[in-house]
Amino acid sequence: MANTMYITCLDLEGVLVPEIWIAFSKASGIPELKRTTRDEPDYNKLMNWRLEILKEHHLGLKEIQETIASIDPLPGAKDFLDELRSICQVIIISDTFTQFATPLMKKLDWPTIFCNTLTVAENGEITGFSMRTKDSKLSTVKALQSIGYETIAAGDSYNDLAMIKASKAGFLFKSTDKIKADNPTIPAYETFDELLKAIKEHI
């Protein structure tokens, strides 16, 4: 039976599904778009830079959604998520956007996701973005703790570190050598079986 007092908070891209911007970089032939939160800790700076590149190349939401339609969850991600949801509650906390995430949530059997929203013009140009709240991953974990939940967190990037460190247990998953080296006290795993075992040990 699921332990309802624990909520596992997971990053999405790089953890459960491939990085959307890396996939779009390949599809569009624009190598600069490979840059992600593994490379740039400041998410606002990263997104504004991406929007400038999209504008320069006359690319919009439609082109990105066409790439997303071809993306499948990482091998084993759905089985991992299904088993994890049978033992505790799970929330995916992502800096991605509703317009990007919805097709991927369908492939993962509709887990709960907290993410952000794009501002899109009638012609499909992405003109801006609205973040749900400041420091959304850490803010969400703290809010869950404030109403009596214990949180466990896992992610792969700089913007996951705060929620990982603030949780009862936190893990790096499929992260970079640099992030792992800079955070030697955070356990790091490469397979879903390892991560599931580690989470179970803390519930």
Side-chain angles (χ1 to χ4, degrees):
M1 183 177 169
N3 187 325
T4 55
M5 296 314 295
Y6 282 85
I7 296 182
T8 297
C9 300
L10 298 173
D11 180 33
L12 177 64
E13 294 178 65
V15 173
L16 297 171
V17 303
E19 293 278 356
I20 290 167
W21 287 98
I22 290 176
F24 187 62
S25 169
K26 288 175 185 168
S28 63
I30 304 170
E32 301 97 304
L33 288 175
K34 282 187 180 152
R35 194 166 177 79
T36 71
T37 48
R38 290 176 168 213
D39 312 298
E40 173 53 70
D42 186 331
Y43 191 76
N44 280 351
K45 182 179 172 185
L46 178 64
M47 268 309 297
N48 283 314
W49 180 76
R50 285 167 170 167
L51 295 189
E52 284 297 317
I53 292 173
L54 293 178
K55 190 172 184 179
E56 186 185 319
H57 291 271
H58 307 290
L59 295 168
L61 181 60
K62 176 175 169 285
E63 289 80 11
I64 299 174
Q65 285 180 328
E66 284 170 358
T67 296
I68 292 169
S70 70
I71 294 175
D72 285 322
L74 293 172
K78 186 177 180 303
D79 290 343
F80 161 77
L81 204 51
D82 288 346
E83 186 163 352
L84 184 57
R85 290 162 79 189
S86 76
I87 60 173
C88 68
Q89 298 188 72
V90 179
I91 298 174
I92 298 168
I93 308 175
S94 174
D95 279 339
T96 193
F97 304 94
T98 304
Q99 295 93 331
F100 291 177
T102 301
L104 297 167
M105 293 306 97
K106 184 177 182 182
K107 291 179 180 181
L108 288 168
D109 203 16
W110 299 111
T112 300
I113 183 168
F114 294 171
C115 59
N116 305 301
T117 309
L118 292 168
T119 307
V120 184
E122 283 188 19
N123 67 355
E125 180 187 347
I126 301 170
T127 56
F129 56 97
S130 296
M131 303 301 281
R132 184 170 50 82
T133 185
K134 191 176 186 304
D135 300 322
S136 63
K137 298 189 181 193
L138 178 59
S139 298
T140 302
V141 159
K142 285 187 168 178
L144 292 169
Q145 291 166 351
S146 77
I147 54 172
Y149 289 101
E150 293 277 15
T151 62
I152 295 171
D156 68 324
S157 296
Y158 284 106
N159 63 340
D160 299 311
L161 291 172
M163 75 168 180
I164 288 170
K165 290 174 181 177
S167 292
K168 182 184 179 187
F171 312 104
L172 287 168
F173 186 67
K174 297 183 182 292
S175 191
T176 65
D177 290 341
K178 179 164 183 8
I179 293 173
K180 286 187 282 190
D182 288 347
N183 297 275
T185 60
I186 302 175
Y189 301 108
E190 297 298 321
T191 71
F192 287 115
D193 286 346
E194 290 172 332
L195 181 58
L196 187 64
K197 183 171 181 273
I199 293 170
K200 282 180 176 178
E201 286 170 358
H202 288 87
I203 292 177

